[in-house]
Every structure is written in C-alpha cells, then in structure tokens.
Amino acid sequence: MTTSAGKRKKTLRSGYTTGACAAAAAKAATLCLLGQGAVERVEIPFPDGSRHCFSLCRIGGPPAQPALATVVKDAGDDPDVTNGAEIGAEVRWLAGGRPERIVVTNGPGVGLVTKPGLPVPVGEAAINPVPRRMIRAAVTEALAGSGREDEGLEVRIFVRDGEILAEKTLNRRLGVIGGLSILGTTGIVRPVSAEAWTDTIEASMRVARALGLTEAILSTGRTSEAMVQGLLRLPEETQVMMGDYLRYALEAARRHGFSRIHLAAMWGKLVKAALAVPQTHVRHGALEVRQAADLLAALGLDQARAAELGAANTAREIYDRLRSMGRDDLIGAVCRRAGEQARRWSGLPVRVYLVTAEAGVVHVAD
C-alpha cells in the first residue's frame, strides 16, 4: 500500500493477548511438571481453530512442585501497557476429587474481582472466560497421552510487576484489585483497534449499572474527566473513559439503561460533536478548521469574521480568538449544539462540560 507521495505505508504488526500468553505458559509448565524437560517453545490452540507458537522466557519444575513457565508478551504495534510484561503460570497436582479437573486461579500481579458487572463473578480471579478456556485447552493438550489426564491440576497465573502495571489502567475503578486482568477474546491483539476501547466502555457501564448508578460521566480524556468529577463529586464508577468513541459511548449509555449523561470534553472534541462527527479521532472525520468556521457562521458569527477564523491553524486557535473577541456566546452555542447532537445519538438528557487544561470547566450547557 502506498501514499499519494509514493511512500510505502507501514503495516502495523499484530500481537498476542495476556490470555494467550498465560495459556502458553500454562502448557509449558504442565509439560515440565510431567517431566518433559525445559522446553523452549510451545504451540497452543486459539479460539478460531488456528495454532500459534510461543517462545518461553523462564521454565523450571520437578522434582520440586510447582512447575513454572513464563512468556514475555509481544503486543505487536499496539500501545499496550502490558507489552513486554512477563506472564507466567505455576502448575501443581491437586489431591482429592474436585468439581473442576483444571483449576485456574490468580497469583501475584493478577487481580481479584471486587465489583459486580464484569464477566467474572465477585471474589474470583480477574481471568476472563475466553482466557480461562484457552488455558484449560492448552493444559489438556499437554496432559494428552501422559496417563494422568484425569488427575487434578491447579494453574496459578501471575504477571511480574502486574500490581505496578495495573496502576496505569482503569482496573481499580472497575473493581479489579491487586493486579491486572487476564484478557482477550481471540488471542490476538489488533494494533490500535477499536475493540480495546469499546470493551472498556462496555465494562465500565456494566459495573456502574450493577451498582445501581443511573448517571454516567463520559469523557474524552483524563483531564476532562478529573475536572468534571471534581465539580460533580459523583461515585467513582460513574466515570466512563470513552476516548474518541463518542457516538458508540452515547448509544451504549442508552443500551445499558442510564438516565442521564454528563459529557466532558475539550474544545476540539466538542466542535466535532457539534458537527455530528461520530468518532472524534483525527483519523476519523478529521476536523477541518473551515468546517468549524462555517459552523460558527451558522450560529451567528458574521461572514467576514468567520472567513478570518477559517484561516486559523487549529480548533484551539479558533477558541482563543473567540475568547479575545468576547464571543463567549458563540462558545456556548457550540456547546449547546454538541449537546443536541449527543441527545440525538443517546436519546437521553445530556449536560455538556467544556474543559480546558488551564482553567478546568469553563462552560456548562444543557
């Protein structure tokens, strides 16, 4: 694929989920427990029927239990906080009969679920259903032909420095305490994909509703979120980080049964909302300054001034020039237009909060 300038566009590289890495480590540790030596690579099945190989970072086992193996996560070109994390499994034999032959639990660096609304019940290890199935399938493969297929095993998943990495995520807000979640629905991480964002939006809303909350703060970034939360002082779980997925989050709020939305964003994102741009990242429906100037003309700015603003470099420059002109009325009009569009997408009452990094919440519009 080439650009108009003839330069080749880089193809982003996919990687593997924490769940896939945990499954590979679990298979390697099981093989080690069975006395098959320090394997260097293992192959495991994925949910779609494909098979993938993983190199091992560390491995050790009998005669002492448990056997241990780790994999260093390669997230490809995705900006994932767990890229490069060492994900491991400790495997030991279990005595006596148990309902589950292969028991999957959490070790250091893997969190515990403490709030309802997530795919895993309260009180259990934060290892999602698909990774659990992948781990059990990989371990079952390792046991095949060993003569010990019916014996019980405990597989304890851990992440080195997982508690530290978890501080960079929304886990604590979602009720995952003590470390990371082991995630993934396909085993594959698609670089800069929408799935990670939309999954987080869905999880945040499920937790909020499971706790009986009926309002949500939808924010495009941490600064906007913090400023509005500081003003409203609502329960922490009302905060939903939507990033650039404006329309998706608004429609999800209706689907999850919220009754009111607080929309927190900076000027450029609100202008895009007012222009009915559903995905506000620069890659999707990039805001043309000319469009912003045309919007202001439609909202009452005279054509000469609108033409001047159409020559601005950025949306933020337009905002600063409106402030210097004393046209806070037009800033308010843009916020109200953004709220109208948000109400059309969500079908819910929406209050809009315009935030700047310097001054916090500078305008509120219903």
Side-chain angles (χ1 to χ4, degrees), residues 18-28 42 44-45 87 89 131 134-136 138-139 157:
T18 50
C21 295
K27 181 174 182 178
V42 291
I44 63 169
I87 299 168
M134 291 182 70
I135 291 165
R136 291 193 173 102
V139 170
I157 304 300

Side-chain angles (χ1 to χ4, degrees), residues 21 35 42 53 67 70 94 118 129 149 152 173-174 194 227 249 311-312 323:
C21 295
V42 291
C53 286
T70 69
L94 290 173
L118 296 175
E149 294 89 343
R173 181 185 302 171
L174 296 176
M227 296 297 184
R323 289 296 308 275

Side-chain angles (χ1 to χ4, degrees), residues 10-84:
K10 179 184 176 183
T11 299
L12 295 177
R13 187 170 59 89
S14 295
Y16 293 113
T17 63
T18 50
C21 295
K27 181 174 182 178
T30 304
L31 290 170
C32 190
L33 187 66
L34 290 167
Q36 296 190 27
V39 295
E40 295 182 355
R41 291 173 63 83
V42 291
E43 183 181 271
I44 63 169
F46 273 44
D48 65 356
S50 63
R51 299 184 66 81
H52 297 259
C53 286
F54 291 77
S55 296
L56 280 301
C57 174
R58 290 189 289 148
I59 190 162
Q65 284 199 65
L68 174 149
T70 69
V71 169
V72 173
K73 178 178 174 178
D74 179 1
D77 289 324
D78 193 66
D80 189 326
V81 298
T82 59
N83 186 43

Side-chain angles (χ1 to χ4, degrees), residues 267 271 274-275 287-312 315 318 322 330 333-334 337:
W267 173 254
V271 171
L275 290 168
L287 171 65
E288 296 291 339
V289 172
R290 180 70 254 175
Q291 289 178 284
D294 290 344
L295 171 65
L296 291 168
L299 293 173
L301 183 64
D302 66 83
Q303 291 293 337
R305 286 298 182 97
E308 290 176 11
L309 292 181
I318 290 178
L322 286 173
L330 285 174
V334 169
R337 178 67 64 89

Side-chain angles (χ1 to χ4, degrees), residues 111-123:
L112 193 72
V113 175
T114 65
K115 293 179 183 178
L118 296 175
V120 177
V122 170

